[in-house]
Amino acid sequence: MSNVKYSDLIRDVLPHLTNGPSDPLVEAAIRNAVIEFCNQSWLWRYLPDPIDIVAGEVAYDLEPTTGADVAAVLSCSIGGNLISPASTDDLDRIYTGWQSLSGPARHYTQTDTNSILLVPRPEFNIAGALVMVLALQPRRSSTAFPGWIADQYAESLAAGALSRLLLMPGKAWSDGQAGMLNKDKFQAAIQVAKAFGTSGLSRAPVRTTAQH
């Protein structure tokens, strides 16, 4: 999978700004827009290798691809059977002392973004039984993101970056009206991307044009 550098999108953003900011500031705005886009749309989906279930082991690490963080766990199954997500509050209502229960796992929960907890605690070893679908987002330290996202959503990502820059108060390039216009376009593109992600990327997304 080829990647695109955030700096490659500067040319899509800078011409829309008068008395424009420095390239590093524009690049940071682009990175933040891409992270927000992926975090909210769940478009970037990833299937890690199946994980062995270990008897008595509750926590299982999430393993995103290099340069990415987990935005959400979209599905989780054991031996081909889906188990449902539940908050710790939900589990308190469903079970008495769920932390110490053992048996076939029916739910998963999270107390951080790095792992899931299976509830009840598995009783048996099962090789390669735990299968997940993850939604990913670029790490804050990343310098690039998947090229296919840029190919399909470059204009929408530029609108997101522009909204962040134009809505900065008291800058030479500030423009509240244009900033809100681009923000609305960016948020609309997120909703379109989420809908197409849910349908399996089977159709081309609606493209928007960043404006100033």
Side-chain angles (χ1 to χ4, degrees), residues 160-185:
L162 273 170
S163 70
R164 290 172 174 271
L165 294 164
L166 292 166
L167 292 173
M168 288 182 174
K171 301 296 183 181
W173 58 83
S174 299
D175 186 330
Q177 183 176 0
M180 290 306 300
L181 176 62
N182 280 281
K183 184 176 181 179
D184 289 345
K185 289 185 175 184

Side-chain angles (χ1 to χ4, degrees), residues 96-116:
T96 300
W98 58 267
Q99 295 92 335
S100 59
L101 286 178
S102 295
R106 296 183 177 88
H107 305 279
Y108 67 92
T109 192
Q110 290 182 267
T111 56
D112 58 48
T113 59
N114 297 317
S115 63
I116 63 168

Side-chain angles (χ1 to χ4, degrees), residues 182-198:
N182 280 281
K183 184 176 181 179
D184 289 345
K185 289 185 175 184
F186 181 62
Q187 292 298 326
I190 287 174
Q191 295 307 312
V192 170
K194 189 167 188 175
F196 280 105
T198 300

Side-chain angles (χ1 to χ4, degrees), residues 17 34 51 67 74 130 136 139 189 202:
L17 300 166
V34 175
I51 298 172
L74 300 182
L130 181 58
L136 303 184
R139 287 185 178 173
S202 58

Side-chain angles (χ1 to χ4, degrees), residues 46-110:
Y46 178 69
L47 282 68
D49 291 336
I51 298 172
D52 296 341
I53 288 180
V54 179
E57 181 61 48
V58 174
Y60 294 83
D61 291 340
L62 304 178
E63 299 180 354
T65 190
T66 303
D69 288 324
V70 175
V73 178
L74 300 182
S75 70
C76 183
S77 64
I78 297 177
N81 298 312
L82 286 173
I83 61 175
S84 59
S87 69
T88 55
D89 288 342
D90 291 334
L91 294 172
D92 286 338
R93 288 190 291 269
I94 297 170
Y95 301 105
T96 300
W98 58 267
Q99 295 92 335
S100 59
L101 286 178
S102 295
R106 296 183 177 88
H107 305 279
Y108 67 92
T109 192
Q110 290 182 267

